[in-house]
Structure formats: structure tokens, C-alpha cells
Amino acid sequence: MIPIANAFEIIDRETPLLGIESVAISELCGRVLTEDIVADSDLPPFDRSQMDGYAVVAADTENAPVELRIVGESAAGRGWRGKVVSGDAVRIMTGAPVPDGADAVQKLELTAESETGSSVQIAEPTKPGRYIIAKGAETAAGTKIFASGELVTASMIASVAAFGYSNVRVGVRPKVAVLSTGSEIVPIDQTPQQDQIRNSNSPMIAALVRESGGTSIEHPLAADDVDGLTSAIGNAAAGSDILVITGGVSVGKYDLTKDVLRSLGAEIFFERVRLKPGKPAVFARLGKTLVFGLPGNPVSAAVTFHLFVRRAMRKMQGAAELGLRPGFAIAAKKAKGTAERDTFLPAAIGTDDTGRAVAVPLKWLGSSDFIGFSRADALIFVPAGTTYEAGDVVGTFLI
Ligand code: AMP
Ligand code: MG
């Protein structure tokens, strides 16, 4: 049995960067950058008005109300090119450039334009810089906005677009084959007969794969027999970057996954991790395909996916951060680990009425209870031999 940190090291060592491709910005969300995003211009590119109103010389408004002469208009996309001097005002719109000589804006609500439009009364003083975002204040040309290795979220897209990146270089998506095994498992569109259960793992793993930036191929179920499993594993591995197998990795008589992997010539890097749930997790390579053998219990499969498969998928795409995002929270209930293994308890993260993050361990009957798990957005890390009481600060990982 190896420690989790060791399993991570082995995964990092054995997992290659798949490759780099260029994608249109419309396809960028959820991908990993393999180039830096650099500002090609100052932002804003000119002193920009934040308000509809009048660009003025602030000193003129000191003793407001004051009447100023309207000398022009600066609209978004069509600025006024003259020079504002004391006594002048320029009608200005949100997003428009502030003309030379003006050092402040007064908002429309605090002004009254004359009927003829030749002058404006400014009702209250404004001060230098008011309602103006100075050229370059948001960012200066040449600034690195995002670094290679970052995962792109929807919030980042506007910045990428603003600096002209219509196409961006990203890591190639891993192709992940999904193979659920077990003689008791039937496809979800069938009514389970005696002793059978529906295949909840394949759709779950496929969803996790897509959430991790990969493309998934679900393969037909394989029963617990050597011949069937041999051809199923061989087929599923062919042409895939990663094969995720669930089931058949423990010590039972019909747990055949590892035997079949060995007989196919796979190199097994680890097969037992000091982890709960998920002790029998397997990591191997068959030909060029990395193979993860996850326990069949859906919760164990999910936890080991988050810890191990997601990590490899991130590495393949060139991600700088391979692990789950760590944090801290107050335990809402007692959280007990085991003596020998580190435990990852599914939890929901919320806040209490003092604004502190709280982790609520989810009710579960064990690693087969995927209904409890379905509300999880984090895992509470309970080191081997540790018991946390309600109110203790615990380490969490977001999933
Ligand atoms: P195993 O890892 O094969 O020993 O399976 C452990 C438990 O997980 C057993 O109760 C299985 O019935 C269950 N299980 C295995 N594969 C699946 C699956 N694809 N969907 C739902 N439950 C599964
Ligand atoms: Mg089984």
C-alpha cells in the first residue's frame, strides 16, 4: 500500500503532455492554455468616461452651481478632438474618450442643459479624476493577463477577446475510454432482474471526464470472465489516451481486472493506495494508454477519479495545477478517519452566520451510497488516525 502523495508522484511521472492545438475562442472555455495571454494594448486605451454627463475642468465646479459653455460632444466610438479650457463643458457618454483639457466628468443627473443646448448648469462640484478611468489603469500594454497552464473559465473569456486572441493555443483534450465491469451490472435502460443493478458508473465517469476537459467513449459492459474482460479491455484501450475501468480491482474471487491487465502485458505502477474510499485503485499502462482501475462502488470510483484520473487528465493538457483546489472550513459534525488510511469524506460547503466556511459531511452508508454523495462539492481530508470534532478547522478539497 503506497501513500497518496506517492501515487500522485507516479501519475505525474508517467503522464505525458498530449500535444498542443489552436482553438477558436468559442471553443476555449474549459481548456488549458499552452500560451500566455498578453495585453496588446493599454486598457482602457484612452481616458474613458464612466458616466453619461459632461467633461469639465474640475476647478470650474468648485463653487457650483455654475454655468458652463458646451463646446462639443464626445460619444462612444466618436470622440471630440478639441481642447477643453476653463469655462467649457463637453457632453460625454459612457465609454467615450475624455477630451484633452478636461480632468473630470459630472454625471448627467447633477446637470441641467439649457434649451438651446449652448450651456449647461453643473449643480454640484466634481473633482479631478471623478468618473474617469485613466488610460492603462485596468492594465498596461505588455502585461501578462493569464499564464500558460491556466484552465480557462467563462469569466476569463472577455479578457482573452479584448486583446485580440480569436484563436488560442491549448492542450489537446485526452480521449478517455470508459469501461464498467461486473456480471451484476446491466445497462440503465434495462430493468434489473434478480441480483442485478444498473450501471451508474459509466455515465458518471463519462460526465467527470467531460468536466475535466476530455472526450469520453463509453464501451459496452463487460462481465467478470477472463475472456470477455480481455477483449473488452483490449478494445477499449486501443486508440485511447486513458482507459478508466470500474469494478473488479479488489481481492474477491471474481475481481479479475488486474489479472487481465497483466496478461495483456500492462505495466502496473500501483494497485493499492493508503486511501479511503478507494484503497484498491490501480494505475497502469497498456501500450500507450494509461489505465486506471477504479473500485466499482460509485462513491469510491468518484473519489478516486477526482484524485487520480482528473490529475492525469490535467497533466495531459498541460495544466500547472494538477490537484484539487485546497481550502479550509469548520467541520459541522464529527469527522472520523481510520487508523491506517487517509480518508476523504464527501461534504457540502456552505457558510455560517458569521461568514465562515462550513463543511457538512454528507450522510452516507458507505462507499456504495451515491445518493448521499450526489450533493458533494468537496472532500474533507481526514489524515490517518485523526478524528475531528464539530467546530474543528478541517482541510477540504473542492471537487
Ligand atoms: P467491485 O469493485 O467490482 O467489487 O464492486 C463493488 C461494488 O460496486 C459492488 O456492490 C458492485 O455491484 C458495485 N458496482 C460495480 N460496478 C458498478 C457500476 N458500474 N454501477 C453501479 N454499481 C457498481
Ligand atoms: Mg465486481
Side-chain angles (χ1 to χ4, degrees), residues 18-358:
L18 280 185
I20 289 171
E21 63 183 352
S22 176
V23 295
I25 191 167
S26 57
E27 302 301 314
L28 185 61
C29 201
R31 305 296 296 269
V32 176
L33 296 173
T34 52
E35 66 174 317
D36 296 338
I37 301 295
V38 178
D40 72 338
S41 59
D42 287 340
L43 212 67
F46 45 81
D47 292 345
R48 179 210 287 149
S49 177
Q50 265 186 305
M51 288 285 174
D52 295 316
Y54 294 84
V56 298
V57 177
D60 286 350
T61 67
E62 236 168 51
N63 300 311
V66 62
E67 194 79 17
L68 299 175
R69 185 165 52 105
I70 297 178
V71 294
E73 181 177 291
S74 183
R78 191 168 34 79
W80 187 70
R81 297 289 162 238
K83 186 166 165 55
V84 173
V85 295
S86 179
D88 291 350
V90 165
R91 209 179 285 120
I92 196 163
M93 322 300 158
T94 304
V98 177
D100 276 358
D103 64 352
V105 167
Q106 184 52 289
K107 59 181 176 182
L108 199 63
E109 293 85 332
L110 296 177
T111 66
E113 196 171 303
S114 66
E115 296 241 318
T116 59
S118 61
S119 67
V120 61
Q121 192 187 64
I122 307 291
E124 287 181 21
T126 179
K127 53 179 197 247
R130 195 81 205 271
Y131 302 134
I132 297 173
I133 310 268
K135 177 179 191 294
E138 288 164 351
T139 203
T143 305
K144 190 195 287 186
I145 307 295
F146 303 124
S148 177
E150 285 192 66
L151 175 69
V152 179
T153 64
S155 310
M156 295 161 69
I157 298 292
S159 302
V160 176
F163 300 116
Y165 289 83
S166 51
N167 289 281
V168 181
R169 277 187 308 224
V170 296
V172 168
R173 291 172 176 284
K175 288 195 285 290
V176 182
V178 180
L179 174 65
S180 289
T181 73
S183 298
E184 76 281 30
I185 313 297
V186 297
I188 60 170
D189 54 4
Q190 282 180 28
T191 305
Q193 304 301 307
Q194 198 179 13
D195 302 334
Q196 295 183 328
I197 58 167
R198 288 201 181 94
N199 175 19
S200 28
N201 281 348
S202 295
M204 174 185 76
I205 298 290
L208 288 168
V209 165
R210 286 191 293 273
E211 209 177 62
S212 311
T215 55
S216 62
I217 310 129
E218 286 181 55
H219 285 263
L221 289 163
D224 298 315
D225 76 82
V226 170
D227 291 344
L229 214 46
T230 303
S231 64
I233 290 179
N235 285 338
S240 314
D241 301 307
I242 295 179
L243 165 59
V244 179
I245 306 171
T246 68
V249 288
S250 347
V251 293
K253 180 173 170 197
Y254 299 106
D255 289 327
L256 305 169
T257 302
K258 281 186 281 185
D259 293 345
V260 168
L261 281 172
R262 283 201 181 86
S263 76
L264 284 166
E267 183 179 358
I268 296 191
F269 301 116
F270 62 75
E271 51 187 294
R272 276 157 72 81
V273 185
R274 197 167 294 148
L275 166 69
K276 186 186 173 184
K279 176 168 75 172
V282 175
F283 178 49
R285 184 168 46 226
L286 179 58
K288 283 194 164 142
T289 306
L290 293 181
V291 181
F292 289 91
L294 309 183
N297 267 318
V299 177
S300 312
V303 168
T304 47
F305 184 99
H306 284 298
L307 292 174
F308 301 137
V309 186
R310 189 181 278 262
R311 187 176 187 94
M313 290 181 67
R314 285 180 177 170
K315 180 92 199 291
M316 282 184 166
Q317 295 172 86
E321 279 300 328
L322 303 181
L324 301 173
R325 199 203 299 181
F328 295 95
I330 311 288
K333 292 184 200 159
K334 182 173 179 159
K336 194 173 182 324
T338 63
E340 274 221 317
R341 290 181 278 154
D342 293 336
T343 301
F344 287 84
L345 285 178
I349 300 285
T351 52
D352 68 10
D353 57 9
T354 68
R356 299 179 309 173
V358 172

